[in-house]
Amino acid sequence: NILVLDTEMYSNTGGQASKSTPAGAMAKFAESGKQTQKKDLCRLAMTYKTVYVASICLHVNQQQAVRAMLEADAYAGPSLVVAYSPCISQGYPMAESIGHCQLAVDSGYWPLFRYNPELAASGNNPFQLDSRKVKGDLFKLLSAENRFASVMRRDPKHAEELDSRLKISVTEKNQLLQVLSAEDLQGQFHKLVEGLTDASGAGSSITIL
């Protein structure tokens, strides 16, 4: 069983950029803002279809966090729980951690979910999205953290480009999670196929990656 306390940087050695650091965030060795997207550890683990995976935030939903850890412990196989972890190097007062974590979840920056492969054996959806529908302001979250705000002050145009890239990544991730959490996955797939067929019939250009 693995519990990852994700501060999105190498916190124990002074706050260096890592593969967990999101695009646009300033850190040591990424003074002008990290150019590449964060590695999605949860998504990578779920592709194996044999690993219990959960994304939690103790400050926002303690019940979901405890349930995830109990399920991970009971799972007969490898398990990975990734916890959103406030860090002083993120650049905001730690006294504001609870409210800040809530904004991270509400804005879709840190979705809460559980993936239990054992549920698929009984014909149920193994993926459970525990966070509510995205309703918060991502820019408000980013501007409250000095690791993003410092880049905005130094080079607004460059920061806008990086933050837009991050927003697209966050939006795409939440759209994917909404699809995974749908009860009727087969129906969702058929809707996608129908949409592609309609677009093709209308003469629209379709690119499938």
Side-chain angles (χ1 to χ4, degrees):
N1 300 330
I2 301 174
L3 172 63
V4 177
L5 304 180
D6 191 358
T7 63
E8 301 189 315
M9 65 186 72
Y10 292 118
S11 298
N12 289 339
T13 53
Q16 293 94 342
S18 73
K19 291 182 179 179
S20 180
T21 304
M26 183 194 74
K28 292 181 180 178
F29 308 122
E31 301 297 335
S32 60
K34 187 164 174 278
Q35 301 294 314
T36 56
Q37 296 294 338
K38 172 178 180 172
K39 176 181 277 190
D40 194 333
L41 189 59
C42 288
R43 191 186 303 185
L44 288 172
M46 285 191 290
T47 61
Y48 289 96
K49 298 183 180 181
T50 57
V51 181
Y52 178 93
V53 182
S55 173
I56 67 174
C57 183
L58 194 60
H59 281 321
V60 174
N61 192 330
Q62 295 182 8
Q63 182 178 3
Q64 185 260 357
V66 171
R67 180 180 298 174
M69 287 188 279
L70 289 174
E71 290 177 350
D73 184 58
Y75 180 69
S79 62
L80 171 69
V81 177
V82 182
Y84 183 75
S85 303
C87 174
I88 194 170
S89 295
Q90 292 171 351
Y92 68 92
M94 291 294 95
E96 301 174 3
S97 292
I98 295 178
H100 196 79
C101 286
Q102 186 69 61
L103 183 57
V105 172
D106 288 345
S107 65
Y109 182 82
W110 192 270
L112 308 179
F113 59 82
R114 289 167 291 132
Y115 174 81
N116 189 345
E118 290 183 341
L119 295 178
S122 56
N124 296 312
N125 189 345
F127 185 84
Q128 175 67 47
L129 184 61
D130 296 313
S131 51
R132 299 175 181 177
K133 186 176 180 181
V134 176
K135 60 180 181 180
D137 185 350
L138 180 62
F139 181 77
K140 182 178 179 180
L141 172 74
L142 302 183
S143 60
E145 297 188 9
N146 193 54
R147 57 176 176 162
F148 292 103
S150 60
V151 181
M152 296 174 188
R153 292 191 298 267
R154 184 183 306 171
D155 190 342
K157 186 176 181 180
H158 180 58
E160 183 179 0
E161 178 184 339
L162 293 176
D163 293 344
S164 295
R165 201 182 304 169
L166 175 61
K167 184 175 182 179
I168 291 173
S169 177
V170 169
T171 301
E172 290 178 345
K173 179 177 181 177
N174 279 278
Q175 288 175 341
L176 173 62
L177 296 181
Q178 290 289 341
V179 171
L180 289 176
S181 67
E183 291 296 332
D184 183 14
L185 288 177
Q186 187 174 8
Q188 291 290 331
F189 176 76
H190 286 318
K191 286 183 180 180
L192 174 61
V193 173
E194 290 174 2
L196 292 175
T197 302
D198 292 342
S200 178
S204 301
S205 176
I206 303 174
T207 301
I208 301 178
L209 301 177

